[in-house]
C-alpha cells in the first residue's frame, strides 16, 4: 500500500485524505487499522475505494460512518468527479454500498435496525470519547513531567500549544486533542483553559480524581475494542507479520484461507 | 483440579463453555459460515501459538475432545455448558441442549448443562422452558439477545415477552441467567453492546442471579456501575481473560476495575471453550499479579484467596456445588480417566 502511495500522485492524494477518516469507535485512522483494501483512479477523475472490517458482523452503523467519511474526504479532492465506496465481506455490504454511493442516509439503508436512535447522536458520543481519550494522554503527560494538579488544571491553550513532548503517543494525541479542542470551540482564546470537560465545564482540584477515573474507563473500553479489532483483522485476512520469524502453526492453518480467493469474498445473497 | 506450584489444590468451575457444531454440514447459510469463522478468528488471535487448532476441528469437536481438554489435560473440576441455538444460521442449532446433555451423561459429575430460549417465540418459549425443566432439570440459561429471529435482529431483557419467561424461571427455581454482553458478534441496533437492560431486569427479578458474560466489554464502566448497584449481578471473565497472554498489563487494568467496583465475590472464571482451552488460562491467571502502579492506584490486590474464589468457589456457590463432596465424588471416579 505504501508503494501505491508513492508511485502515483493522485493515489497519494487519495490516501492522504483517507488518513483523515477515523474508525469512530476506536479513534484511529482507518488506514492505520489496515481497513482500506484498495484505491484505484479511473480516467484521472473517478475514484474507487474498497475497505473491509475485522469481522463480517462489525456494527453496520460504524461501517456506515466510515463509508460516509471516505466518500466525504475523497469528494473533497478538486479533481475527483465520482467516488465509489465498496465495503467488502460484510453482512450488510450490499445495502450499505448502495446507500452511501447514492448519498443516502443510514436511516434509509437500515430502517429496521435503527431502533429510535439517530446517527448524529452516535457521532457526538464518539467525538466525546475521542476527546476524553486524547485528553487523558495530555494530562498524564504533564503530570509525568512533574507538574502538580493545580498547575496542570491552570494550563492555557497557548501553553499546551507551546508544550513539547518527546514520547510519540504524547506528541500525536496532544496534537489531535488540540485539533478537537479548537474545532469544537472548547478553547478559542490563547488564555482559555486547555482542559475543560466535553460539556465545557472546568475540572476542579476536588473532582480531579473522579474525573481521571472517568477518562480511564473510557480508555479501557476503547482499548478493548482496538486491540480486538487489530487482531481480528489480522486473523481474518492473515496479515500476521512474518518478518524475520519462522512461520508458526497459525501460518499453516491460515495459509489455505489466504490463498483461496473464494473464501475471501463470500458469495452475495 | 489445578495444582499450584506449591502443591495446593484449587477447585475449578469453568463457568462458560460450549459443545458446538459449527461444521459446514450444520450451517444453513453464509451467516452460519461467517459466525464460526469469527469465533475462529478470536481463537487464532488471542491463543498462544502452541494451543491453536485446525479449522475443521474447531468447527466440530467430539465429546472426547471436550473431556480431555477440560478435565484431563485441563484443570476444570466442573464445567458449565451453555446452549446457543442461532436457529436462523444452523440446522440443528449451534449448541443444543440434547447434544450437550448426552455428553454430560457419559461423564457424570462433570457438567452442568444450561438451557436457552428465545422470548420472541411467545408461548412456545414458555413451553420450551417447561420442557428443559422437566427433561433436563436445568439450573440456568444462557441468553443471547443479539440472536436473529426472522425479521427481528435482536431483543432486550426488559421486553414484556422476556419478562414472562423470567417469571416462569423464577417460579420453577431456575436461578442462573447468563447473558452475553460483550463484543458484538451479531450487531443489531445502533448500540449493540448496551448493557442497560440488565439493570432493569435484575432489579425486577431479585430472585434470579444475572451473570454478565464478558463483563459487558467494551462497556466495562456501564457494567461495573450496574453490578455495583445490583447485588444479583455478577461478571464472567470469558474473553477478558485471554488478554492475560497478549496484553497482560491491560488485563491488569480490567481485573483491577472489577475488583474495585464489584468485588471478589462476583467475578467468575470462564474459558469460553472451545475458543480457548482452560489449562493455559488458569496457569497464567494463577501466576498473575496486577502491575504495582495499577494495583496501588485502585487499592486492590489479586491474592491467592481471591483467585480461588474467581476460579471456582464463586460459581460453586451459585450452582449449589458442595465443593468437598464434589472433590470426593471425582476422586472416586478414576475410571473416567482410564476410559480416555
Amino acid at each position: 500500500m505504501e508503494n501505491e502511495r508513492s508511485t502515483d500522485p493522485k493515489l497519494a492524494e487519495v490516501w492522504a485524505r483517507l488518513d483523515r477518516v477515523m474508525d469512530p469507535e476506536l479513534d484511529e485512522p482507518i488506514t492505520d487499522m489496515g481497513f482500506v483494501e484498495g484505491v484505484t483512479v479511473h480516467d484521472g477523475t473517478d475514484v474507487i475505494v474498497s475497505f473491509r472490517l475485522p469481522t463480517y458482523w462489525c456494527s453496520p452503523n460504524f461501517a456506515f460512518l466510515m463509508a460516509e467519511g471516505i466518500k466525504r474526504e475523497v469528494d473533497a479532492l478538486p479533481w475527483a468527479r465520482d467516488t465509489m465506496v465498496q465495503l467488502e465481506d460484510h453482512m450488510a455490504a450490499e445495502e450499505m454500498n448502495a446507500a452511501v454511493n447514492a448519498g443516502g442516509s443510514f436511516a434509509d439503508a437500515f430502517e429496521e435496525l435503527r431502533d429510535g436512535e439517530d446517527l448524529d447522536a452516535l457521532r457526538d458520543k464518539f467525538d466525546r470519547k475521542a476527546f476524553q481519550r486524547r485528553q487523558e494522554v495530555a494530562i498524564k503527560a504533564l503530570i509525568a513531567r512533574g507538574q502538580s494538579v493545580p498547575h496542570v488544571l491552570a494550563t492555557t491553550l497557548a501553553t499546551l500549544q507551546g508544550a513539547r513532548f518527546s514520547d510519540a503517543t504524547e506528541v500525536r494525541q496532544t496534537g489531535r486533542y488540540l485539533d478537537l479542542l479548537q474545532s469544537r470551540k472548547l478553547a478559542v482564546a490563547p488564555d482559555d483553559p486547555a482542559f475543560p470537560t466535553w460539556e465545557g465545564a472546568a475540572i476542579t482540584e476536588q473532582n480531579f480524581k473522579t474525573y481521571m477515573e472517568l477518562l480511564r474507563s473510557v480508555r479501557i473500553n476503547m482499548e478493548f475494542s482496538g486491540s480486538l479489532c487489530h487482531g481480528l483483522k489480522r486473523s481474518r485476512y492473515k496479515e500476521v507479520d512474518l518478518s524475520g520469524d519462522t512461520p508458526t502453526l497459525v501460518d499453516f492453518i491460515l495459509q489455505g484461507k489466504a490463498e483461496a480467493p473464494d473464501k475471501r469474498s463470500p458469495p452475495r445473497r | 483440579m489445578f495444582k499450584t506450584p506449591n502443591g495446593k489444590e484449587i477447585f475449578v468451575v469453568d463457568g462458560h463453555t460450549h459443545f458446538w457444531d459449527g461444521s459446514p454440514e450444520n450451517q444453513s447459510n453464509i451467516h452460519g459460515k461467517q459466525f464460526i469463522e469469527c469465533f475462529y478468528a478470536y481463537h487464532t488471535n488471542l491463543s498462544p501459538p502452541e494451543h491453536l487448532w485446525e479449522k475443521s476441528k474447531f468447527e466440530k469437536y467430539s465429546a472426547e475432545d471436550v473431556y480431555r481438554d477440560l478435565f484431563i489435560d485441563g484443570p476444570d473440576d466442573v464445567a458449565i455448558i451453555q446452549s446457543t441455538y442461532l436457529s436462523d444460521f444452523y440446522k440443528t442449532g449451534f449448541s443444543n441442549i440434547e447434544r450437550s446433555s448426552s455428553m454430560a451423561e457419559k461423564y457424570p459429575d462433570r457438567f452442568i448443562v444450561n438451557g436457552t430460549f428465545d422470548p420472541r417465540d411467545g408461548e412456545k418459549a414458555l413451553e420450551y422452558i417447561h420442557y428443559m425443566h422437566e427433561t433436563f432439570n436445568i439450573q440456568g440459561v444462557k441468553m443471547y439477545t443479539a440472536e436473529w429471529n426472522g425479521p427481528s435482529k435482536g431483543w432486550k431483557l426488559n421486553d414484556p415477552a422476556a419478562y414472562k419467561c423470567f417469571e416462569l424461571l423464577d417460579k420453577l427455581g431456575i436461578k442462573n441467567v447468563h447473558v452475553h454482553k460483550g463484543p458484538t458478534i451479531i450487531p443489531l441496533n445502533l448500540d449493540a453492546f448496551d448493557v442497560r437492560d440488565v439493570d432493569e431486569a435484575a432489579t425486577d427479578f431479585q430472585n434470579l442471579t444475572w451473570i454478565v458474560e464478558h463483563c459487558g466489554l467494551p462497556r466495562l464502566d456501564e457494567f461495573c456501575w450496574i453490578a455495583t448497584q445490583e447485588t444479583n449481578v455478577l461478571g464472567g471473565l470469558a474473553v477478558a481473560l485471554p488478554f492475560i497472554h497478549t496484553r497482560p498489563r491491560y488485563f491488569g487494568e480490567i481485573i483491577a476495575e472489577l475488583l474495585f467496583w464489584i468485588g471478589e465475590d462476583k467475578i467468575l472464571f470462564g474459558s469460553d471453550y472451545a475458543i480457548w482451552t482452560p489449562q493455559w488460562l488458569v496457569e497464567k491467571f494463577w501466576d498473575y499479579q496486577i502491575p504495582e502502579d495499577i494495583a496501588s492506584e485502585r487499592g486492590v490486590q489479586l491474592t491467592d484467596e481471591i483467585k480461588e474464589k474467581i476460579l471456582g468457589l464463586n460459581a460453586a456457590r451459585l450452582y449449589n456445588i458442595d465443593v468437598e463432596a464434589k472433590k470426593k465424588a471425582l476422586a472416586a471416579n478414576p475410571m473416567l480417566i482410564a476410559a480416555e
Side-chain angles (χ1 to χ4, degrees):
Chain A
M1 285 181 193
E2 287 302 324
N3 287 339
E4 279 183 66
R5 289 188 190 217
S6 53
T7 49
D8 180 313
K10 280 193 170 167
L11 283 178
E13 282 183 52
V14 175
W15 279 101
R17 296 303 296 186
L18 294 175
D19 285 339
R20 298 159 55 95
V21 181
M22 299 292 139
D23 177 314
E25 191 192 14
L26 312 177
D27 191 35
E28 299 289 342
I30 58 170
T31 47
D32 283 2
M33 294 298 296
F35 293 170
V36 179
E37 175 57 16
V39 177
T40 49
V41 178
H42 300 270
D43 306 328
T45 54
D46 298 347
V47 184
I48 301 179
V49 178
S50 57
F51 76 114
R52 51 190 193 182
L53 300 174
T55 81
Y56 179 74
W57 311 102
C58 289
S59 210
N61 49 329
F62 301 174
F64 191 90
L65 287 177
M66 286 182 252
E68 209 182 41
I70 292 171
K71 190 159 166 64
R72 185 186 58 238
E73 289 299 332
V74 179
D75 277 347
L77 290 167
W79 52 263
R81 196 182 58 191
D82 190 42
T83 307
M84 169 97 89
V85 182
Q86 287 174 338
L87 172 62
E88 296 179 344
D89 295 2
H90 191 275
M91 62 161 191
E94 240 173 284
E95 300 92 318
M96 181 136 7
N97 292 337
V100 173
N101 293 313
S105 70
F106 183 80
D108 301 337
F110 295 100
E111 191 56 46
E112 81 274 21
L113 298 182
R114 258 177 3 108
D115 199 35
E117 279 190 37
D118 74 76
L119 218 51
D120 287 336
L122 188 69
R123 235 181 241 117
D124 198 61
K125 182 157 122 186
F126 284 137
D127 279 352
R128 171 175 58 78
K129 291 186 175 186
F131 173 84
Q132 290 171 332
R133 187 174 188 190
R134 298 173 190 184
Q135 188 182 51
E136 190 200 26
V137 175
I139 291 176
K140 282 189 152 179
L142 295 181
I143 297 225
R145 293 166 141 203
Q147 291 193 12
S148 67
V149 171
H151 192 147
V152 171
L153 294 179
T155 309
T156 61
L157 176 61
T159 315
L160 188 62
Q161 282 168 328
R164 292 287 166 266
F165 299 97
S166 50
D167 173 82
T169 306
E170 290 174 2
V171 173
R172 175 168 165 272
Q173 292 291 52
T174 307
R176 299 168 81 219
Y177 174 68
L178 284 165
D179 289 345
L180 207 45
L181 196 61
Q182 291 167 95
S183 68
R184 281 286 180 151
K185 306 219 178 333
L186 286 160
V188 182
D191 54 359
D192 280 349
F195 297 117
T197 69
W198 179 244
E199 292 74 26
I203 308 166
T204 62
E205 247 188 281
Q206 288 72 40
N207 70 18
F208 181 74
K209 189 167 176 285
T210 318
Y211 185 74
M212 291 307 284
E213 280 175 6
L214 166 77
L215 299 192
R216 183 228 307 262
S217 69
V218 168
R219 168 170 54 83
I220 289 179
N221 290 335
M222 286 173 83
E223 246 182 78
F224 177 79
S225 304
S227 56
L228 212 52
C229 291
H230 263 296
L232 292 178
K233 174 69 174 42
R234 276 199 309 274
S235 299
R236 187 179 189 192
Y237 294 112
K238 178 57 189 79
E239 290 160 6
V240 178
D241 179 17
L242 292 178
S243 51
D245 288 333
T246 47
T248 60
L249 182 59
V250 67
D251 303 307
F252 296 108
I253 291 174
L254 293 176
Q255 206 165 35
K257 184 171 171 161
E259 285 173 0
D262 59 323
K263 286 191 179 167
R264 283 175 46 157
S265 307
R268 304 271 178 254
R269 275 177 298 157
Chain B
M1 188 68 63
F2 176 72
K3 233 186 193 147
T4 72
N6 299 339
K8 188 173 183 208
E9 294 187 335
I10 305 298
F11 187 75
V12 177
V13 179
D14 197 335
H16 197 65
T17 66
H18 313 268
F19 183 39
W20 66 60
D21 177 2
S23 66
E25 293 71 33
N26 195 29
Q27 295 166 7
S28 302
N29 46 36
I30 179 70
H31 304 309
K33 177 177 184 292
Q34 291 284 357
F35 187 85
I36 189 72
E37 283 193 358
C38 182
F39 268 32
Y40 192 59
Y42 273 81
H43 167 73
T44 53
N45 174 25
L46 291 177
S47 298
E50 63 274 24
H51 294 289
L52 290 173
W53 288 11
E54 295 288 343
K55 176 85 172 294
S56 57
K57 181 186 172 188
F58 188 84
E59 286 171 341
K60 187 178 184 180
Y61 43 91
S62 67
E64 289 72 28
D65 289 329
V66 180
Y67 188 71
R68 187 190 56 246
D69 291 338
L70 300 186
F71 305 112
I72 299 176
D73 296 346
D76 293 2
D77 289 287
V78 175
I80 298 167
I81 297 263
Q82 310 290 1
S83 298
T84 305
Y85 284 19
L86 304 173
S87 306
D88 282 17
F89 299 175
Y90 293 99
K91 293 170 189 163
T92 63
F94 185 59
S95 58
N96 71 54
I97 192 168
E98 288 83 6
R99 186 163 175 262
S100 297
S101 298
S102 64
M103 172 175 72
E105 263 175 44
K106 277 170 81 170
Y107 305 108
D109 291 324
R110 288 299 191 178
F111 293 104
I112 293 169
V113 180
N114 279 348
T116 188
F117 59 83
D118 185 337
R120 291 165 298 184
D121 296 339
E123 281 301 314
K124 283 215 165 80
L126 299 173
E127 283 167 26
Y128 196 68
I129 293 170
H130 278 294
Y131 159 76
M132 293 185 296
H133 173 65
E134 284 155 22
T135 317
F136 304 106
N137 191 23
I138 56 168
Q139 299 177 60
V141 289
K142 170 78 186 289
M143 301 283 88
Y144 212 92
T145 53
E147 183 162 354
W148 292 10
N149 188 335
S152 162
K153 304 291 186 247
W155 56 281
K156 284 195 162 65
L157 296 171
N158 52 1
D159 289 342
Y163 267 32
K164 283 197 177 140
C165 296
F166 298 141
E167 279 160 17
L168 181 57
L169 293 185
D170 193 3
K171 195 176 123 197
L172 297 175
I174 302 166
K175 298 273 183 220
N176 297 308
V177 184
H178 296 250
V179 186
H180 175 105
K181 289 287 183 184
T184 188
I185 293 287
I186 312 172
L188 321 153
N189 49 35
L190 290 184
D191 196 346
F193 303 127
D194 204 339
V195 293
R196 280 170 294 185
D197 53 340
V198 178
D199 198 4
E200 212 166 301
T203 305
D204 290 335
F205 293 92
Q206 294 284 343
N207 288 335
L208 303 181
T209 302
W210 302 79
I211 302 113
V212 177
E213 298 297 348
H214 323 302
C215 297
L217 281 161
R219 295 292 181 273
L220 187 66
D221 52 340
E222 282 177 20
F223 164 72
C224 286
W225 174 251
I226 292 165
T228 307
Q229 308 293 310
E230 309 290 340
T231 51
N232 56 334
V233 175
L234 290 79
L237 280 182
V239 179
L241 190 51
F243 280 96
I244 206 169
H245 164 63
T246 48
R247 303 189 58 199
R249 185 178 163 83
Y250 182 61
F251 175 73
E253 302 207 73
I254 295 179
I255 198 78
E257 288 298 294
L258 291 171
L259 288 170
F260 176 80
W261 288 106
I262 76 174
E264 63 198 61
D265 296 318
K266 292 171 75 177
I267 306 171
L268 303 186
F269 163 68
S271 65
D272 227 339
Y273 183 85
I275 304 184
W276 299 285
T277 45
Q279 182 64 27
W280 70 267
L281 288 170
V282 172
E283 274 173 11
K284 281 181 190 281
F285 183 67
W286 192 265
D287 278 348
Y288 187 79
Q289 281 308 323
I290 301 173
E292 213 166 298
D293 59 318
I294 299 172
S296 67
E297 205 177 329
R298 269 297 179 218
V300 295
Q301 286 298 335
L302 190 55
T303 63
D304 286 359
E305 290 70 34
I306 294 176
K307 287 175 183 169
E308 206 170 348
K309 285 184 178 181
I310 293 174
L311 285 173
L313 302 183
N314 289 342
R317 189 180 71 235
L318 298 187
Y319 281 86
N320 299 315
I321 299 169
D322 178 334
V323 175
E324 290 314 313
K326 180 62 93 176
K327 280 182 183 169
K328 273 188 198 135
L330 292 173
N333 259 329
M335 287 305 290
L336 291 176
I337 292 175
E340 172 64 18

